[in-house]
Amino acid sequence: MSRARADEEEYWHSSKFRAFTFDDDDDELSQLKESKRAVNSLRDIVDDDDDDDLERVSWSGEPVGRRNKLPSFQSLSDVFSDTGVKNYAPELRRPKTEYKDYSSDWSPKDTVRRMQRGKVLIFLKRTLRREILFRELEVRQVALCHLIHFLKETGEQKLLLDLLRFLDRTEEVALSQYREHLNIQDVEKRREFLKVCIGLPFSAEDTSHIQDHYTLLERQIIIEANDRHLETAGQSEIFRKYPRKASILNMPLVTTLFYSCFYHYTEAEGTFSSPTNLKKTFKIPDKQYVLTALAARAKLRAWDDVDALFTTKNWLGYTKKKAPIGFHRVVEILQRNNAPVQVLQEYVRLVEDVETRLNLATKYKCHDVVIETYRDLKDRIQLTAYKCKVERGSAEEEKINSILNNMQIRWKN
Amino acid sequence: EHEVEKMFTLKPGRLPQADVKNIIFFVRPKLELMDIITDNVLREDRGRSPQRDFHILFVPRRSLLCEQWLKEQGVLGSFIHREQYSLDLIPFDGDLLSMESESAFKECYLESDQTSLYHAAKGLMTLQALYGTIPQIFGKGECARHVANMMIRMKREFPGSQNSIFPVFDTLLLLDRNVDLLTPLATQLTYEGLIDEIYGIQNTYVKLPPEKFAPKKQGEGGKDLPTEPKKLQLNSAEELYAEIRDKNFNAVGSVLSKKAKIISAAFEERHHAKTVGEIKQFVSQLPHMQAARSSLANHTSIAELIKDITTSEDFFDNLTVEQEFMSGIDTDKVNNYIEDCIAQKHPLIKILRLVCLQSVCNSGLKQKVLDHYKREILQTYGYEHILTLNNLEKAGLLKPQTSGRNNYPTIRKTLRLWMDDVNEQNPNDISYVYSGYAPLSVRLAQLLARPGWRSIEEVLKMLPGPHFEERQQLPTGLQKKRQHGENRVTLVFFLGGVTYAEIAALRFLSQMEDGGTEYVIATTKLINGTSWIKSLMEKLEPAPF
């Protein structure tokens, strides 16, 4: 919902026809007079212009003093029994099974009742003991929906949760409570609140997410405190060179990982701020980890670190480069961070798909790779054509020439 | 003629100067608007004379909550009149009506709140009062059933409303949005659809980046580049727009260039005008020609802006994945493109549209796939989005596959939703609006007219909600007998939102030769995939109160 849509003109069409109005309020009410006993106490509230009773209740919904002239709870319950009011608020009276159809058949009379029922609900909410209210509402779906909606709009969290719990709508309870964390600005309080949320009746999957949310915030608080200290102390080089633009609090996990790879890359797994610790704690998949670490190290132009990310030693001690993501992605990220051609070239060379490799190599002027690829493809025409793309007299031109002159190559064209 | 001096947009702060006695606030019953009104009222200078009176009109109905809120702020008593103005259906064009109720879908499908359905029914009663009782009502969906019931009930309650107007509409078709959750998720490919997808059309207005619309004046040097977005109104009153709005975007270019030639030639006519009479005639045509030229210039600029987007690699990749899903390819696996987009942190709504599309085209995702997507989304965008994901599940857009079987291929084949041989330039089928995918909702309308829903009973059962038919009695003498060759008129009411592409598809059916039916469209809201998903996202800013 956007606030003041100042720029938008409301496009409206002046209506030429009369709208349905409900000026016959009084007639409806006269019908309601049929049953005086229970209705009397409620009718005062329901009369349109009588605002006195509403005034007495504070906005938070807590009744300011019980009304003494309220009939006992017993007789109020009778309002809802079949022997009680005949015409008043019939929707509240009908058995559950009839509900679905009946509630949809609204007439203007029903509308009036509905509007008034809203006030009735509010009145009931404020004066009836919860247990009775909830019990009555349980069998009255429509009224129930209205009340839930009303409670959500007015932010009456506690009552809403009690109601949902009563109805055994446990997951809704959990989510509804979790939503409240957004209203807590203080991080420590938010962290405590999240800890409580973990025990709520979420689904198994969701519980692990909430758990992660809590753990993440807990870590972020520690990291933030520590890093702020480092920053102000002015001793750490990385923080001097790249001052932080924002705090890490409440950032998503991947953003936190990026931050960690940027500022705390070399730390041992034992510390809360090390990337490997984050990876382990949150079970971050290799793919995501490598991508994030790559982005961070590339931004810092730490090409050696990038190299190490993709280098693995096999049991014979030979090093090999591999990546859980395609090397074309690696090239993309490196290029976006203005990696020098020599570095870029290494990775373009590793792109598996030949066409992609050629495209990237040509695009980023990785001449050696182009030359080598055409040589491997035994494509003399293309190789010769590529000569004009390299500088005259350069090492690349020499390379092309020596390959073209190589008698041992069986060219395909 | 009603002595309204001025109209202002609602803004916080002091009310603007106006020498009037009465000030009427004309608003929807939203709490945040109440805050603005309170601000306006409190800042009013009570010492001024003459004093101004305040009134408030709620559209379409009063709200206890809003009035209570105003009371809490201490300003309720400042209003002399507090009324409601039952404006339910707002005409947007000659064949289009909308309630512009943004929250209708969320209320109906997530909160079981049928308020908007009530207003839809009321709007329909008003329509019938003006245009005659609609003799036949067809519907598919729970909400459709509710609206029909309400209509019948309302008719009973007001027997006096039986009028002697010759019915304009032969049929009313009520459709729940959740019968077709697929269509709004796909990227629309009509001219108007793309404008809405990229820039957002609000109440027939669109705001565009101003650079392309700067008037080219020699010698200006470009120092006065406009910074305000260019605002244009888009409706069928503009000839050229009416011609191109519903075309597939790829067919717009040729229309524009043809138009350019015609207008050029028309302006060239001035060289041929010799007699005074001829010159006079030319001059009288001038305003029309200038309007046409300006219109052409605007739409050429808009088309250029759109083309920049549609020719981009990302648009192409996105569209490819959408079309794969819609034609049933690989809907049961984690999709690489979606994963890449999450990894590159593309806008969340884009991701949500894609995963929801995959879910709908698979009748729900396998638990492992769903969990995988959810985890990646929460880790990349934040855990708080669990709330939105929950809403999407409730709406049926992103959920686990419960029955273990995927109904979508059957639905797709029976209703011919995917057409390989689509012709974008000269379409012969409604699938041109998505370059291959025929909107399910419009197919249902199409099949209802011919040969009728009996032929698709099995498929209808696979779609959510009941389907039904109701007849309303017409007073004798008003029974319409269609002349040979005269078209039936069907009002299609989309409960929960409709896209411009679906409107284009229905207009296409209307103008088909031997189609037999003309369509008028009504809805709770004009939507696109982005605005629709946004309405289901949990508001993550802290509550204003």
mmCIF file of all heavy atoms in Angstrom, chain A residues 1 3 8 15 17 51 59 104-105 107-108 111 149 153 175 179 183 254 287 329, chain B residues 32 65 68 71 85 111 118 126 146 149-150 157-158 340 379 390 538 543 545:
data_model
loop_
_atom_site.group_PDB
_atom_site.id
_atom_site.type_symbol
_atom_site.label_atom_id
_atom_site.label_comp_id
_atom_site.label_asym_id
_atom_site.label_seq_id
_atom_site.Cartn_x
_atom_site.Cartn_y
_atom_site.Cartn_z
ATOM 1 N N MET A 1 0.862 -1.211 0.000
ATOM 2 C CA MET A 1 0.000 0.000 0.000
ATOM 3 C C MET A 1 0.873 1.227 0.000
ATOM 4 O O MET A 1 1.724 1.386 0.865
ATOM 5 C CB MET A 1 -0.828 0.012 1.275
ATOM 6 C CG MET A 1 -2.185 -0.688 1.108
ATOM 7 S SD MET A 1 -3.216 -0.194 2.467
ATOM 8 C CE MET A 1 -3.227 -1.656 3.429
ATOM 9 N N ARG A 3 1.667 5.141 0.443
ATOM 10 C CA ARG A 3 1.125 6.313 1.128
ATOM 11 C C ARG A 3 0.874 7.388 0.103
ATOM 12 O O ARG A 3 1.074 7.195 -1.066
ATOM 13 C CB ARG A 3 2.141 6.783 2.176
ATOM 14 C CG ARG A 3 2.104 5.914 3.410
ATOM 15 C CD ARG A 3 2.856 6.553 4.562
ATOM 16 N NE ARG A 3 2.404 5.986 5.821
ATOM 17 C CZ ARG A 3 1.661 6.652 6.699
ATOM 18 N NH1 ARG A 3 1.311 7.872 6.474
ATOM 19 N NH2 ARG A 3 1.269 6.090 7.817
ATOM 20 N N GLU A 8 -0.685 10.934 -8.434
ATOM 21 C CA GLU A 8 -1.725 10.312 -9.247
ATOM 22 C C GLU A 8 -3.038 11.050 -9.153
ATOM 23 O O GLU A 8 -3.501 11.379 -8.070
ATOM 24 C CB GLU A 8 -1.945 8.881 -8.777
ATOM 25 C CG GLU A 8 -1.016 7.919 -9.495
ATOM 26 C CD GLU A 8 -0.982 6.603 -8.785
ATOM 27 O OE1 GLU A 8 -2.038 6.182 -8.291
ATOM 28 O OE2 GLU A 8 0.081 6.021 -8.711
ATOM 29 N N SER A 15 -21.115 9.561 -11.499
ATOM 30 C CA SER A 15 -22.166 8.592 -11.749
ATOM 31 C C SER A 15 -23.466 9.275 -12.134
ATOM 32 O O SER A 15 -23.901 10.197 -11.477
ATOM 33 C CB SER A 15 -22.347 7.750 -10.491
ATOM 34 O OG SER A 15 -23.355 6.832 -10.677
ATOM 35 N N PHE A 17 -26.268 7.559 -12.385
ATOM 36 C CA PHE A 17 -27.375 6.820 -11.807
ATOM 37 C C PHE A 17 -27.315 6.846 -10.292
ATOM 38 O O PHE A 17 -26.270 7.010 -9.700
ATOM 39 C CB PHE A 17 -27.393 5.381 -12.313
ATOM 40 C CG PHE A 17 -26.022 4.796 -12.490
ATOM 41 C CD1 PHE A 17 -25.332 4.252 -11.411
ATOM 42 C CD2 PHE A 17 -25.414 4.794 -13.729
ATOM 43 C CE1 PHE A 17 -24.077 3.720 -11.565
ATOM 44 C CE2 PHE A 17 -24.152 4.256 -13.903
ATOM 45 C CZ PHE A 17 -23.490 3.719 -12.822
ATOM 46 N N ASP A 51 -22.162 7.153 19.929
ATOM 47 C CA ASP A 51 -20.738 6.839 19.996
ATOM 48 C C ASP A 51 -20.228 6.722 21.412
ATOM 49 O O ASP A 51 -19.059 6.459 21.632
ATOM 50 C CB ASP A 51 -19.939 7.930 19.272
ATOM 51 C CG ASP A 51 -20.096 7.791 17.760
ATOM 52 O OD1 ASP A 51 -20.394 6.675 17.313
ATOM 53 O OD2 ASP A 51 -19.944 8.782 17.065
ATOM 54 N N TRP A 59 -7.932 2.611 22.394
ATOM 55 C CA TRP A 59 -7.654 2.144 21.048
ATOM 56 C C TRP A 59 -7.012 0.754 21.027
ATOM 57 O O TRP A 59 -7.180 -0.012 20.117
ATOM 58 C CB TRP A 59 -6.750 3.127 20.314
ATOM 59 C CG TRP A 59 -6.546 2.764 18.884
ATOM 60 C CD1 TRP A 59 -5.368 2.594 18.250
ATOM 61 C CD2 TRP A 59 -7.563 2.482 17.917
ATOM 62 N NE1 TRP A 59 -5.570 2.254 16.947
ATOM 63 C CE2 TRP A 59 -6.900 2.159 16.712
ATOM 64 C CE3 TRP A 59 -8.947 2.445 17.947
ATOM 65 C CZ2 TRP A 59 -7.583 1.844 15.542
ATOM 66 C CZ3 TRP A 59 -9.619 2.123 16.786
ATOM 67 C CH2 TRP A 59 -8.936 1.824 15.598
ATOM 68 N N SER A 104 -23.373 -15.830 1.527
ATOM 69 C CA SER A 104 -23.126 -15.181 0.253
ATOM 70 C C SER A 104 -24.379 -14.518 -0.282
ATOM 71 O O SER A 104 -24.330 -13.725 -1.186
ATOM 72 C CB SER A 104 -22.627 -16.193 -0.770
ATOM 73 O OG SER A 104 -23.620 -17.175 -0.962
ATOM 74 N N ASP A 105 -25.511 -14.892 0.266
ATOM 75 C CA ASP A 105 -26.746 -14.310 -0.262
ATOM 76 C C ASP A 105 -27.052 -13.007 0.438
ATOM 77 O O ASP A 105 -27.928 -12.939 1.275
ATOM 78 C CB ASP A 105 -27.915 -15.281 -0.046
ATOM 79 C CG ASP A 105 -27.700 -16.563 -0.833
ATOM 80 O OD1 ASP A 105 -26.792 -16.552 -1.678
ATOM 81 O OD2 ASP A 105 -28.411 -17.533 -0.584
ATOM 82 N N SER A 107 -28.449 -9.407 0.957
ATOM 83 C CA SER A 107 -29.409 -8.437 0.482
ATOM 84 C C SER A 107 -29.032 -7.127 1.145
ATOM 85 O O SER A 107 -28.190 -7.102 2.032
ATOM 86 C CB SER A 107 -30.811 -8.865 0.906
ATOM 87 O OG SER A 107 -30.868 -8.810 2.315
ATOM 88 N N PRO A 108 -29.670 -6.066 0.737
ATOM 89 C CA PRO A 108 -29.383 -4.790 1.400
ATOM 90 C C PRO A 108 -29.613 -4.869 2.897
ATOM 91 O O PRO A 108 -28.875 -4.284 3.680
ATOM 92 C CB PRO A 108 -30.367 -3.823 0.755
ATOM 93 C CG PRO A 108 -30.602 -4.399 -0.588
ATOM 94 C CD PRO A 108 -30.552 -5.877 -0.424
ATOM 95 N N THR A 111 -26.729 -6.279 4.439
ATOM 96 C CA THR A 111 -25.611 -5.356 4.472
ATOM 97 C C THR A 111 -25.667 -4.498 5.712
ATOM 98 O O THR A 111 -24.672 -4.268 6.376
ATOM 99 C CB THR A 111 -25.655 -4.430 3.257
ATOM 100 O OG1 THR A 111 -25.880 -5.214 2.107
ATOM 101 C CG2 THR A 111 -24.362 -3.669 3.125
ATOM 102 N N HIS A 149 -9.663 -10.334 10.259
ATOM 103 C CA HIS A 149 -9.251 -9.240 9.389
ATOM 104 C C HIS A 149 -9.149 -7.944 10.181
ATOM 105 O O HIS A 149 -8.198 -7.177 10.047
ATOM 106 C CB HIS A 149 -10.276 -9.094 8.270
ATOM 107 C CG HIS A 149 -9.851 -8.164 7.183
ATOM 108 N ND1 HIS A 149 -8.851 -8.458 6.291
ATOM 109 C CD2 HIS A 149 -10.267 -6.930 6.863
ATOM 110 C CE1 HIS A 149 -8.689 -7.454 5.469
ATOM 111 N NE2 HIS A 149 -9.543 -6.508 5.779
ATOM 112 N N GLU A 153 -5.857 -5.584 10.883
ATOM 113 C CA GLU A 153 -5.787 -4.181 10.490
ATOM 114 C C GLU A 153 -5.435 -3.286 11.659
ATOM 115 O O GLU A 153 -4.703 -2.318 11.511
ATOM 116 C CB GLU A 153 -7.143 -3.737 9.911
ATOM 117 C CG GLU A 153 -7.331 -4.145 8.475
ATOM 118 C CD GLU A 153 -7.678 -2.957 7.575
ATOM 119 O OE1 GLU A 153 -7.353 -1.820 7.920
ATOM 120 O OE2 GLU A 153 -8.271 -3.225 6.535
ATOM 121 N N LEU A 175 3.378 -17.881 11.933
ATOM 122 C CA LEU A 175 3.748 -16.862 10.948
ATOM 123 C C LEU A 175 3.333 -15.475 11.405
ATOM 124 O O LEU A 175 4.058 -14.502 11.215
ATOM 125 C CB LEU A 175 3.081 -17.189 9.606
ATOM 126 C CG LEU A 175 3.745 -18.332 8.838
ATOM 127 C CD1 LEU A 175 2.824 -18.840 7.756
ATOM 128 C CD2 LEU A 175 5.065 -17.890 8.250
ATOM 129 N N ARG A 179 5.876 -12.385 11.984
ATOM 130 C CA ARG A 179 5.771 -11.124 11.267
ATOM 131 C C ARG A 179 6.091 -9.939 12.174
ATOM 132 O O ARG A 179 6.614 -8.927 11.734
ATOM 133 C CB ARG A 179 4.357 -10.968 10.690
ATOM 134 C CG ARG A 179 4.203 -9.757 9.782
ATOM 135 C CD ARG A 179 2.769 -9.529 9.345
ATOM 136 N NE ARG A 179 2.285 -10.569 8.463
ATOM 137 C CZ ARG A 179 1.334 -11.426 8.782
ATOM 138 N NH1 ARG A 179 0.730 -11.361 9.942
ATOM 139 N NH2 ARG A 179 0.962 -12.357 7.922
ATOM 140 N N ASN A 183 8.570 -5.187 13.360
ATOM 141 C CA ASN A 183 8.277 -3.959 14.084
ATOM 142 C C ASN A 183 9.306 -3.652 15.162
ATOM 143 O O ASN A 183 9.208 -2.632 15.835
ATOM 144 C CB ASN A 183 6.888 -4.053 14.728
ATOM 145 C CG ASN A 183 5.788 -4.045 13.676
ATOM 146 O OD1 ASN A 183 5.955 -3.487 12.605
ATOM 147 N ND2 ASN A 183 4.681 -4.690 13.986
ATOM 148 N N VAL A 254 23.304 -14.275 1.897
ATOM 149 C CA VAL A 254 24.288 -14.199 0.814
ATOM 150 C C VAL A 254 25.052 -12.875 0.866
ATOM 151 O O VAL A 254 26.265 -12.831 0.623
ATOM 152 C CB VAL A 254 23.603 -14.386 -0.560
ATOM 153 C CG1 VAL A 254 24.569 -14.103 -1.684
ATOM 154 C CG2 VAL A 254 23.063 -15.794 -0.677
ATOM 155 N N LYS A 287 28.185 -24.054 -5.085
ATOM 156 C CA LYS A 287 27.933 -23.147 -6.196
ATOM 157 C C LYS A 287 27.797 -21.704 -5.698
ATOM 158 O O LYS A 287 28.459 -20.783 -6.169
ATOM 159 C CB LYS A 287 26.633 -23.586 -6.875
ATOM 160 C CG LYS A 287 26.504 -23.196 -8.318
ATOM 161 C CD LYS A 287 25.385 -24.002 -8.963
ATOM 162 C CE LYS A 287 24.790 -23.233 -10.130
ATOM 163 N NZ LYS A 287 23.737 -23.931 -10.816
ATOM 164 N N ARG A 329 30.768 -18.047 -16.696
ATOM 165 C CA ARG A 329 30.248 -17.177 -15.646
ATOM 166 C C ARG A 329 31.397 -16.505 -14.910
ATOM 167 O O ARG A 329 31.334 -15.336 -14.543
ATOM 168 C CB ARG A 329 29.425 -17.998 -14.633
ATOM 169 C CG ARG A 329 28.157 -18.597 -15.196
ATOM 170 C CD ARG A 329 27.111 -17.541 -15.439
ATOM 171 N NE ARG A 329 26.844 -16.738 -14.258
ATOM 172 C CZ ARG A 329 26.110 -17.144 -13.236
ATOM 173 N NH1 ARG A 329 25.559 -18.333 -13.243
ATOM 174 N NH2 ARG A 329 25.915 -16.353 -12.203
ATOM 175 N N GLU B 32 -4.187 4.840 5.681
ATOM 176 C CA GLU B 32 -3.118 5.819 5.445
ATOM 177 C C GLU B 32 -3.664 7.108 4.857
ATOM 178 O O GLU B 32 -3.102 8.186 5.050
ATOM 179 C CB GLU B 32 -2.011 5.239 4.560
ATOM 180 C CG GLU B 32 -2.442 4.759 3.215
ATOM 181 C CD GLU B 32 -2.662 3.267 3.190
ATOM 182 O OE1 GLU B 32 -3.096 2.718 4.229
ATOM 183 O OE2 GLU B 32 -2.426 2.677 2.149
ATOM 184 N N LEU B 65 -13.658 1.288 10.654
ATOM 185 C CA LEU B 65 -12.268 1.397 11.083
ATOM 186 C C LEU B 65 -11.729 2.796 10.800
ATOM 187 O O LEU B 65 -11.103 3.425 11.642
ATOM 188 C CB LEU B 65 -11.446 0.348 10.347
ATOM 189 C CG LEU B 65 -10.049 0.102 10.881
ATOM 190 C CD1 LEU B 65 -10.112 -0.399 12.302
ATOM 191 C CD2 LEU B 65 -9.352 -0.924 10.004
ATOM 192 N N GLN B 68 -13.300 5.351 13.047
ATOM 193 C CA GLN B 68 -12.743 5.216 14.387
ATOM 194 C C GLN B 68 -11.364 5.863 14.449
ATOM 195 O O GLN B 68 -11.015 6.538 15.411
ATOM 196 C CB GLN B 68 -12.646 3.721 14.749
ATOM 197 C CG GLN B 68 -12.199 3.437 16.161
ATOM 198 C CD GLN B 68 -13.252 3.800 17.186
ATOM 199 O OE1 GLN B 68 -14.394 4.094 16.841
ATOM 200 N NE2 GLN B 68 -12.868 3.777 18.433
ATOM 201 N N LYS B 71 -11.638 9.469 14.562
ATOM 202 C CA LYS B 71 -12.090 9.852 15.895
ATOM 203 C C LYS B 71 -10.910 9.871 16.863
ATOM 204 O O LYS B 71 -10.757 10.804 17.652
ATOM 205 C CB LYS B 71 -13.135 8.851 16.377
ATOM 206 C CG LYS B 71 -13.815 9.316 17.628
ATOM 207 C CD LYS B 71 -14.873 8.326 18.049
ATOM 208 C CE LYS B 71 -15.677 8.925 19.183
ATOM 209 N NZ LYS B 71 -17.096 8.793 19.004
ATOM 210 N N TYR B 85 -20.190 6.788 -1.235
ATOM 211 C CA TYR B 85 -20.522 6.977 -2.642
ATOM 212 C C TYR B 85 -20.288 5.643 -3.333
ATOM 213 O O TYR B 85 -19.160 5.209 -3.485
ATOM 214 C CB TYR B 85 -19.629 8.058 -3.231
ATOM 215 C CG TYR B 85 -19.990 8.411 -4.649
ATOM 216 C CD1 TYR B 85 -21.145 9.119 -4.938
ATOM 217 C CD2 TYR B 85 -19.190 8.010 -5.699
ATOM 218 C CE1 TYR B 85 -21.486 9.427 -6.238
ATOM 219 C CE2 TYR B 85 -19.516 8.313 -6.999
ATOM 220 C CZ TYR B 85 -20.670 9.027 -7.270
ATOM 221 O OH TYR B 85 -21.004 9.326 -8.558
ATOM 222 N N GLU B 111 -7.949 -14.255 2.433
ATOM 223 C CA GLU B 111 -8.544 -13.864 3.703
ATOM 224 C C GLU B 111 -10.019 -14.235 3.801
ATOM 225 O O GLU B 111 -10.666 -13.891 4.777
ATOM 226 C CB GLU B 111 -8.373 -12.347 3.891
ATOM 227 C CG GLU B 111 -6.906 -11.951 3.999
ATOM 228 C CD GLU B 111 -6.676 -10.460 3.831
ATOM 229 O OE1 GLU B 111 -7.668 -9.722 3.673
ATOM 230 O OE2 GLU B 111 -5.501 -10.044 3.837
ATOM 231 N N TYR B 118 -19.216 -8.600 -3.038
ATOM 232 C CA TYR B 118 -20.470 -7.894 -2.806
ATOM 233 C C TYR B 118 -20.552 -6.675 -3.700
ATOM 234 O O TYR B 118 -21.580 -6.396 -4.320
ATOM 235 C CB TYR B 118 -20.564 -7.515 -1.328
ATOM 236 C CG TYR B 118 -21.686 -6.576 -1.041
ATOM 237 C CD1 TYR B 118 -23.016 -7.015 -1.063
ATOM 238 C CD2 TYR B 118 -21.444 -5.228 -0.790
ATOM 239 C CE1 TYR B 118 -24.059 -6.140 -0.826
ATOM 240 C CE2 TYR B 118 -22.487 -4.359 -0.551
ATOM 241 C CZ TYR B 118 -23.789 -4.816 -0.571
ATOM 242 O OH TYR B 118 -24.810 -3.948 -0.350
ATOM 243 N N THR B 126 -26.401 -2.485 -10.813
ATOM 244 C CA THR B 126 -26.486 -1.147 -11.405
ATOM 245 C C THR B 126 -26.448 -1.233 -12.924
ATOM 246 O O THR B 126 -27.218 -0.576 -13.626
ATOM 247 C CB THR B 126 -25.309 -0.277 -10.931
ATOM 248 O OG1 THR B 126 -25.247 -0.321 -9.509
ATOM 249 C CG2 THR B 126 -25.470 1.145 -11.403
ATOM 250 N N HIS B 146 -20.600 -17.151 -5.631
ATOM 251 C CA HIS B 146 -21.073 -16.202 -4.622
ATOM 252 C C HIS B 146 -21.693 -14.980 -5.263
ATOM 253 O O HIS B 146 -22.753 -14.519 -4.848
ATOM 254 C CB HIS B 146 -19.918 -15.759 -3.718
ATOM 255 C CG HIS B 146 -19.454 -16.830 -2.784
ATOM 256 N ND1 HIS B 146 -20.308 -17.585 -2.034
ATOM 257 C CD2 HIS B 146 -18.204 -17.258 -2.478
ATOM 258 C CE1 HIS B 146 -19.619 -18.449 -1.314
ATOM 259 N NE2 HIS B 146 -18.344 -18.275 -1.546
ATOM 260 N N ASN B 149 -25.083 -15.802 -6.745
ATOM 261 C CA ASN B 149 -26.083 -15.940 -5.684
ATOM 262 C C ASN B 149 -26.535 -14.583 -5.170
ATOM 263 O O ASN B 149 -27.725 -14.347 -4.955
ATOM 264 C CB ASN B 149 -25.518 -16.758 -4.514
ATOM 265 C CG ASN B 149 -25.368 -18.229 -4.873
ATOM 266 O OD1 ASN B 149 -25.939 -18.697 -5.856
ATOM 267 N ND2 ASN B 149 -24.595 -18.946 -4.083
ATOM 268 N N MET B 150 -25.559 -13.700 -4.985
ATOM 269 C CA MET B 150 -25.879 -12.368 -4.487
ATOM 270 C C MET B 150 -26.773 -11.625 -5.464
ATOM 271 O O MET B 150 -27.725 -10.954 -5.080
ATOM 272 C CB MET B 150 -24.607 -11.563 -4.245
ATOM 273 C CG MET B 150 -23.930 -11.881 -2.949
ATOM 274 S SD MET B 150 -22.611 -10.696 -2.617
ATOM 275 C CE MET B 150 -21.200 -11.745 -2.763
ATOM 276 N N GLU B 157 -34.909 -9.082 -3.677
ATOM 277 C CA GLU B 157 -35.158 -8.068 -2.660
ATOM 278 C C GLU B 157 -35.699 -6.782 -3.253
ATOM 279 O O GLU B 157 -36.318 -5.981 -2.569
ATOM 280 C CB GLU B 157 -33.856 -7.754 -1.913
ATOM 281 C CG GLU B 157 -33.214 -8.950 -1.264
ATOM 282 C CD GLU B 157 -33.656 -9.124 0.173
ATOM 283 O OE1 GLU B 157 -34.079 -8.115 0.752
ATOM 284 O OE2 GLU B 157 -33.595 -10.237 0.684
ATOM 285 N N PHE B 158 -35.415 -6.545 -4.516
ATOM 286 C CA PHE B 158 -35.869 -5.312 -5.139
ATOM 287 C C PHE B 158 -36.732 -5.605 -6.348
ATOM 288 O O PHE B 158 -36.334 -5.353 -7.475
ATOM 289 C CB PHE B 158 -34.667 -4.462 -5.582
ATOM 290 C CG PHE B 158 -34.027 -3.731 -4.459
ATOM 291 C CD1 PHE B 158 -32.961 -4.320 -3.783
ATOM 292 C CD2 PHE B 158 -34.481 -2.488 -4.050
ATOM 293 C CE1 PHE B 158 -32.367 -3.660 -2.728
ATOM 294 C CE2 PHE B 158 -33.876 -1.826 -3.001
ATOM 295 C CZ PHE B 158 -32.828 -2.413 -2.334
ATOM 296 N N ASP B 340 20.312 -18.953 -11.802
ATOM 297 C CA ASP B 340 21.274 -17.909 -12.146
ATOM 298 C C ASP B 340 20.747 -16.534 -11.765
ATOM 299 O O ASP B 340 21.480 -15.687 -11.251
ATOM 300 C CB ASP B 340 21.572 -17.931 -13.653
ATOM 301 C CG ASP B 340 22.511 -19.066 -14.019
ATOM 302 O OD1 ASP B 340 23.064 -19.707 -13.092
ATOM 303 O OD2 ASP B 340 22.700 -19.315 -15.223
ATOM 304 N N GLN B 379 17.762 -17.285 1.351
ATOM 305 C CA GLN B 379 19.155 -16.984 1.641
ATOM 306 C C GLN B 379 19.629 -15.746 0.882
ATOM 307 O O GLN B 379 20.481 -15.003 1.357
ATOM 308 C CB GLN B 379 20.048 -18.179 1.278
ATOM 309 C CG GLN B 379 19.910 -19.330 2.250
ATOM 310 C CD GLN B 379 20.892 -20.458 1.951
ATOM 311 O OE1 GLN B 379 21.454 -20.537 0.860
ATOM 312 N NE2 GLN B 379 21.105 -21.319 2.925
ATOM 313 N N ASN B 390 4.591 -17.865 1.948
ATOM 314 C CA ASN B 390 3.415 -18.498 2.530
ATOM 315 C C ASN B 390 2.137 -18.007 1.859
ATOM 316 O O ASN B 390 1.227 -18.792 1.566
ATOM 317 C CB ASN B 390 3.385 -18.200 4.023
ATOM 318 C CG ASN B 390 2.254 -18.918 4.708
ATOM 319 O OD1 ASN B 390 1.211 -18.353 4.982
ATOM 320 N ND2 ASN B 390 2.445 -20.195 4.958
ATOM 321 N N GLU B 538 4.000 -9.744 1.374
ATOM 322 C CA GLU B 538 3.821 -9.235 2.717
ATOM 323 C C GLU B 538 4.513 -7.893 2.813
ATOM 324 O O GLU B 538 5.641 -7.748 2.362
ATOM 325 C CB GLU B 538 4.441 -10.233 3.702
ATOM 326 C CG GLU B 538 3.909 -10.133 5.085
ATOM 327 C CD GLU B 538 2.430 -10.456 5.154
ATOM 328 O OE1 GLU B 538 1.982 -11.397 4.497
ATOM 329 O OE2 GLU B 538 1.727 -9.744 5.903
ATOM 330 N N ALA B 543 4.828 -1.470 10.608
ATOM 331 C CA ALA B 543 3.487 -0.904 10.518
ATOM 332 C C ALA B 543 3.513 0.586 10.855
ATOM 333 O O ALA B 543 4.246 1.010 11.731
ATOM 334 C CB ALA B 543 2.554 -1.640 11.489
ATOM 335 N N PHE B 545 1.386 2.226 12.395
ATOM 336 C CA PHE B 545 0.820 2.594 13.705
ATOM 337 C C PHE B 545 0.978 1.484 14.722
ATOM 338 O O PHE B 545 1.278 0.375 14.385
ATOM 339 C CB PHE B 545 -0.659 2.928 13.572
ATOM 340 C CG PHE B 545 -1.463 1.881 12.851
ATOM 341 C CD1 PHE B 545 -2.086 0.839 13.513
ATOM 342 C CD2 PHE B 545 -1.583 1.943 11.475
ATOM 343 C CE1 PHE B 545 -2.827 -0.122 12.825
ATOM 344 C CE2 PHE B 545 -2.315 0.991 10.793
ATOM 345 C CZ PHE B 545 -2.938 -0.037 11.468
#
